[in-house]
Structures are given as structure tokens and as C-alpha cells.
Amino acid sequence: EVEPENFASFINALADNGFVGANVTVPHKEAAFLLCDRHAPMAEALGAANTLWFEGGRLCGDNTDVGGFLGNLDEAAPGWDSRVECAVVLGAGGAARAVVHALLLRGARQCVIINRTPTRAHELRSRLGLGETGAVVVGGWGDLPQHLAKADVIVNTTSLGMPGEPALAVDLSAAPASALITDIVYVPLETPLLAAARARGLRTVDGLGMLLHQAVPGFERWFGARPRVTPDLRALLIADLDGRAAASGERRHG
């Protein structure tokens, strides 16, 4: 874990410290983009990088969150994209850029970005070059109920629900019974948002698959072998997360 004020110095020392690359998570993806010497087309389009590696001594960046997000939904909810009239995206950070881009790639007619600070959401829309096309609508938290009522897909891209963060308090009662709810947070595996969705009988997809699928191209760049996302790999990761959670609990209560 690296604090934002230490992020640039940490990344600039990656090679000297023996790293061949890195994955970057919230809240550093936009900062990582700015530190790269070269960008892959997807990172360039989004202005955010989550995968770093070196070529000829130069730091390169890509954004594999788009593929990770889509790979997770394709695997866990086949056919989810057969008809997406409206998708609601919570948050407007680097991950939200990838999620909105992915949803539009798969044919979502409209994405509604709900963010505490609307200015950030407007910046995201501008970054994607969508302007006032109507494909992306910006709203505040007070607007959420009216948008949930027409949502086919609801995505949390904020850090709310992670350990040490407040729970994401969203009333899903207005969401259609056919809505799909997914959360990019994967610790805990079932976030408060997913638990609330499951209690309502809605389809849910956790964030662990996105973590796995986005990691594939990075691993291949670093080590020259392309891994496959399998049930065994997912089970291995869940066991590791459970072990870390248990150890953390022992430290707190021991």
C-alpha cells in the first residue's frame, strides 16, 4: 500500500527496486498514467493506467480493466449484454472510466454516472469524448432512485464497502427485478451492496473475476506466459483472501 503523496517516488524507483512491472489500484490509476513514458491505446483513451511494465528502460502503461470487467461478466452472467438500455455506474474515478467505456462498447444505450462530486463525472464524460451526446448522463446521489428504476446493470466502482471504508448505502428497492448488480470491490467478496441485491433476489456478480481477468495481460507482459482464469485459480485466490482475513482477525483480537 502506497500513500498518494509517495506514489510518484515509488513508481519512479520500480526498476531500481527490481520490479519488472506492477498492477495499480485505486486511487492511483490516473497518477500512474501521468508517470508513464508510453501508453497503450486503451490507457490513452481512458487517461488511466492499471498495468505497468518496462520496455527498453521506459515505463509503459495499459488499462486492462475494460477487458477484466467484461471478462468477469461474460463468465459469471452469460448473455448479460443482450439488452442494456440503461446502466448506472457509481463513482467517477479511474475504474469508472474503464467500466463506462466497457458498457458502451457492449452496446449500452445510456450510462448514468452517479458521483458525490458531479464535476468529476463531467470530467469523465469529457475524457471519453462523449460531450452532450446523451450516451452518458451525470447525476448526484440524490438522483439515484429515479435512475435505479430503469437500470439493467448497476455497477459500484467506488471503494465504499472495502475494509476500513464506510458501507455503500444504496436502497435497491426501486431497481427492476431483472437488474444485474456487480461490485468491483472483492474484499469482502460479498459487499454490502451485493448482499442487499441478493436479499432482493437480484442477479449479482462479485469483483474477484474482474481482478483475475484484468491480471492476465499484465502477467503475460511481465513473465512471458499467459495464464488462464479457471475455477481452481479463483478458489486458490479465495482461500488466500480467507486466510488473510482470518490472520487479520487474530491480530486484532489476540
Side-chain angles (χ1 to χ4, degrees):
E1 187 171 351
V2 182
E3 295 299 322
E5 61 269 23
N6 300 325
F7 182 72
S9 59
F10 181 86
I11 294 300
N12 289 333
L14 272 183
D16 291 339
N17 287 326
F19 289 97
V20 296
N23 258 166
V24 180
T25 189
V26 292
H28 301 309
K29 296 179 182 183
E30 292 156 90
F33 174 83
L34 295 175
L35 292 169
C36 290
D37 301 306
R38 291 178 52 199
H39 302 106
M42 187 62 75
E44 191 70 54
L46 299 178
N50 73 313
T51 301
L52 307 178
W53 72 98
F54 293 97
E55 288 184 12
R58 304 180 72 193
L59 183 65
C60 304
D62 196 0
N63 193 304
T64 64
D65 279 339
V66 172
F69 177 76
L70 294 175
N72 185 30
L73 291 190
D74 289 345
E75 181 178 59
W80 68 273
D81 56 347
S82 59
R83 183 178 178 275
V84 181
E85 293 292 326
C86 177
V88 173
V89 177
L90 307 177
R97 295 184 184 191
V99 167
V100 170
H101 188 75
L103 289 166
L104 294 174
L105 278 178
R106 283 297 182 88
R109 292 176 62 86
Q110 185 179 79
C111 286
V112 179
I113 305 171
I114 301 292
N115 198 54
R116 183 176 53 192
T117 309
T119 302
R120 287 274 288 165
H122 285 291
E123 290 172 355
L124 189 160
R125 181 170 64 180
S126 297
R127 176 73 208 193
L128 296 178
L130 296 168
E132 301 295 332
T133 62
V136 175
V137 173
V138 172
W141 284 100
D143 304 315
L144 184 56
Q146 71 186 64
H147 293 300
L148 288 182
K150 58 182 181 179
D152 299 300
V153 177
I154 301 165
V155 189
N156 175 42
T157 71
T158 75
S159 59
L160 295 177
M162 293 176 64
E165 296 283 344
L168 178 60
V170 174
D171 182 359
L172 294 172
S173 60
S178 58
L180 171 68
I181 318 298
T182 185
D183 200 323
I184 70 167
V185 172
Y186 55 88
V187 178
L189 197 58
E190 185 177 72
T191 63
L193 176 66
L194 295 183
R198 184 171 57 81
R200 256 215 63 198
L202 303 176
R203 289 188 301 163
T204 64
V205 176
D206 64 55
L208 190 58
M210 180 175 175
L211 174 72
L212 288 164
H213 283 281
Q214 67 80 31
V216 168
F219 192 97
E220 185 175 25
R221 287 187 186 276
W222 304 327
F223 305 119
R226 188 173 182 85
R228 291 189 308 112
V229 176
T230 64
D232 286 345
L233 183 59
R234 178 181 167 88
L236 184 68
L237 205 54
I238 290 174
D240 181 68
L241 293 172
D242 288 345
R244 290 170 185 265
S248 176
E250 289 170 4
R251 286 194 294 273
R252 284 197 301 269
H253 302 296

